[in-house]
Amino acid sequence: MLPETPAALELRHAVRGWLRRYAPGAAVAVALSGGADSLALTAAAVAEAEAVDALVVDHGLQRGSDRVAAEAASVARAVGCRSARVLGVEVGTEGGLEAAARTARYAALDAARAGSPVLLGHTLDDQAETVLLGLARGSGARSLRGMAEFADPWGRPLLGVRRSTTRQLCADLGLDPHEDPHNSAPEFTRVRLRTEVLPLLEEALGGGVAPALARTAEQLREDGDLLDALAEQLLQSASDGAALSIETLATAPVALRRRAIRSWLLAGGAKALTDKTLRSVDALVTDWRGQGGVAVGGGKPGTRLVATRERGKLCLAFARLQ
């Protein structure tokens, strides 16, 4: 049983609301790192969910990581998890250490979840950092939406909860969270945002920056969901087999047209679409001057995937590398 402290009540309320909305009566898995956020989430989930299985990923990137993982699994059992498993992974190098570790982690969690949704300990502070990163990179409203409460199978019940609250619950429970050295390493962009940029913004703007950024993400997500639904209708109207009708696309508002084109490209195998690439494909529809195709990433050995305009249609084809 959790103590009836303010932190415990806030965490339980957040998890209860998420479960009622997305997984009523279901067993859930929790991604447990041993840090304060995931420990607090695990304890609150045990109090609210039908059953909880803890999944502890050992990235093997630090000496003693196996011991930390084993201790986290032991705590999970102590707070009432039905099971606790340690998942060892091999971290590659593609995209840098952070991205490679994230890829390995999510793949392991997905393979081990046995059909259950996986709860992640991302908090309001993590959401604020995500929005700031997207803003700095100029990656558009889709990035500024931040993280979703639920993107099957990943659930984030704590997006309205401050990081300080998860730490307080751990203190209330007498738990000693693991402090990952990577979370204070200044070579990681997110760490510098957390330790330097956000505190400076809080000081300069008189506080309330993190909640304001999280509210912005929520508002943009609501707007974005509507635009995505309308773009899907446009995509269906423009579809002509595997191609898209130029005439139908050209008469659509730009916000819907580019969303529809983006969705079509990704479904066709495009990879890592940039704003520049998407605008170049859009120009095949709205600014046609006989230009050649646009490489959109993806492809097969010896080929690249290219978007082209042919006989009034937007098409995808594999072009041989020269």
Side-chain angles (χ1 to χ4, degrees), residues 41-322:
L41 172 61
T42 301
V46 166
E48 295 294 336
E50 182 71 20
V52 179
D53 299 302
L55 301 175
V56 185
V57 176
D58 177 11
H59 298 89
L61 296 175
Q62 303 163 20
R63 179 177 296 179
S65 65
D66 56 341
R67 176 185 54 78
V68 172
E71 289 178 357
S74 178
V75 172
R77 297 185 190 98
V79 300
C81 285
R82 178 173 65 180
S83 69
R85 295 172 55 193
V86 174
L87 312 173
V89 300
E90 291 188 10
V91 177
T93 58
E94 185 175 354
L97 182 62
E98 281 183 289
R102 183 170 56 251
T103 297
R105 177 168 63 254
Y106 277 79
L109 292 170
D110 193 25
R113 65 187 180 88
S116 296
V118 181
L119 304 188
L120 307 173
H122 295 127
T123 65
L124 182 149
D125 300 85
D126 295 304
Q127 185 76 299
E129 293 160 13
T130 299
V131 173
L132 267 184
L133 281 171
L135 182 63
R137 291 167 178 165
S139 44
R142 186 173 298 277
S143 179
L144 298 184
R145 296 184 200 182
M147 297 174 285
E149 279 192 331
F150 186 51
D152 195 17
W154 315 113
R156 298 178 177 89
L158 306 186
L159 291 181
V161 176
R162 297 302 302 263
R163 191 175 288 140
S164 57
T165 305
T166 65
R167 289 190 172 278
Q168 183 58 54
L169 179 57
C170 288
D172 294 342
L173 294 173
L175 299 177
D176 184 19
H178 172 64
E179 300 293 345
D180 188 341
H182 286 156
N183 289 338
S184 57
E187 61 266 29
F188 296 121
T189 303
R190 187 178 283 271
V191 171
R192 297 196 68 184
L193 273 179
R194 180 178 305 151
T195 60
E196 299 176 28
V197 177
L198 271 170
L200 180 60
L201 285 174
E202 293 279 356
E203 179 182 352
L205 299 177
V209 172
L213 288 169
R215 286 196 303 272
T216 298
E218 183 177 3
Q219 292 163 4
L220 286 171
R221 181 165 296 280
E222 292 171 350
D223 293 348
D225 288 345
L226 173 59
L227 289 171
D228 285 345
L230 294 174
E232 181 60 30
Q233 294 177 13
L234 171 62
L235 184 59
Q236 293 177 7
S237 298
S239 293
D240 187 351
L244 299 180
S245 164
I246 294 291
E247 181 180 2
T248 302
L249 290 175
T251 57
V254 61
L256 299 184
R257 182 176 65 248
R258 288 185 182 159
R259 276 175 167 78
I261 291 173
R262 180 181 183 275
S263 178
W264 173 74
L265 290 171
L266 291 174
K271 305 291 184 183
L273 286 174
T274 65
D275 181 68
K276 181 179 179 181
T277 300
L278 187 56
R279 288 177 182 273
S280 295
V281 176
D282 189 49
L284 295 175
V285 176
T286 61
D287 191 20
W288 173 245
R289 302 185 307 276
Q291 64 265 41
V294 178
V296 294
K300 302 175 182 178
T303 68
R304 60 179 181 173
L305 188 61
V306 177
T308 60
R309 175 170 173 153
E310 299 176 13
R311 298 186 178 90
K313 297 179 183 178
L314 195 61
C315 307
L316 276 175
F318 291 103
R320 291 189 177 278
L321 295 174
Q322 300 297 322

Side-chain angles (χ1 to χ4, degrees), residues 1-5 8-9 11-12 40 43-45 47 169 173:
M1 293 290 293
L2 292 185
E4 292 192 4
T5 63
L9 293 174
L11 266 291
R12 290 190 65 167
L169 179 57
L173 294 173

